[in-house]
Amino acid sequence: MNGNERIGVIGLGNIGSAVAANLVADGHAVSVFDLDQNRVQALVGVGARPAASAAQVGERCGITFLSLPTPMVMERVAEEWSSAAPRGAILVDLSTNAPAVVERVGARIAAAGRHLLECPLTGGAPGAQARMLVFMVGGEPVVYERVRPLLAKLGRASFHVGGLGLGNVAKLVNSLIAFQATWGSLEVLAVAAKAGIDLRTMIDVIRAGGAGNVFTDRMVEGIDERRRPAQFAIGLAAKDAGLFVDLARQTGVPVPVSAQIAQGLVSAVAAGLAERDFMDLVEVVERNAGVRLRLARPAS
């Protein structure tokens, strides 16, 4: 793929802005669009070209990345992009989406002579900035091969899991495992702390005893940091958990644990935490348990 490829990025939040900046750094001619002009201007400052609309991005670019908050927004923007994009152009959706929406949008785009590739990701804003994202890809293999060189520069791995919709199935499964590990670990650690066990000692026991998970092995080390700038907002986690429960219902698989976590996240949003970082769920557990969770530095 040529270094001067014309590439668009629509949606300049934590992920989209980092992806756009890295594409500019790689020498591509990058057109960007977001409703927030401050985000647009920040990318213009590093060499991106502003666009007046999603349609204008589509008109200019052979490949366009989307990073948007909800399936409804993605569907609307994809339709606008498709109205102006040249035949054969590719829309790469980085958003976490409903598999059924991906399939529906993909069919419409294909009928118009364009292509959709879904590439939901994990790694968050830090991963996007450091080019350490992992992409879960759904779509036609030939379209994936066209985009794969870009994904290889933007992240550390990509997995083509099947047709449109299956990329988001993989992403939602991955997300719910992380959500379950986080919420379940916080609850049981609150029990240990309230009973009188030092939290660092309990973490050492868990790691040595073989019961560790993504939270206790790594994420717990940030448990003392509260109200940090949101890298992954609780509101987005609630949206993703809801999408997973909907998917489980459609596939006929009972998911009582995931459904309970989804409701817990909805409660956190209702309590005013939608814009807070996912790790601030610790405050919800602390409030419910009546205990403070603090982690001493590891022994040197």
Side-chain angles (χ1 to χ4, degrees), residues 183 186-187 190-191 194 260 263-265 267-268 271 273 280-293:
W183 201 297
L186 285 170
E187 286 188 346
V191 172
K194 199 159 188 180
Q260 189 66 36
Q263 284 301 305
L265 289 167
S267 297
L273 302 181
D280 283 350
L281 285 174
V282 64
E283 294 184 15
V284 177
V285 174
E286 286 178 331
R287 184 164 58 248
N288 292 341
V291 68
R292 299 278 283 176
L293 298 178

Side-chain angles (χ1 to χ4, degrees), residues 168-195:
N168 271 283
V169 172
K171 170 59 192 294
L172 293 172
V173 168
N174 188 79
S175 293
L176 262 293
I177 289 173
F179 297 170
Q180 291 174 8
T182 299
W183 201 297
S185 297
L186 285 170
E187 286 188 346
V188 297
L189 290 174
V191 172
K194 199 159 188 180

Side-chain angles (χ1 to χ4, degrees), residues 116-153:
L116 177 65
L117 193 74
E118 59 169 340
C119 296
L121 53 87
T122 186
Q129 293 160 6
R131 301 177 184 258
M132 293 295 288
L133 296 171
V134 175
F135 300 96
M136 289 145 276
V137 184
E140 298 176 19
V142 66
V143 179
Y144 171 53
E145 289 303 319
R146 174 82 173 85
V147 176
R148 188 155 64 105
L150 290 172
L151 300 180
K153 295 292 294 289

Side-chain angles (χ1 to χ4, degrees), residues 248-262:
R249 186 181 302 113
Q250 293 160 15
T251 55
V253 178
V255 288
V257 174
S258 297
Q260 189 66 36
I261 288 172

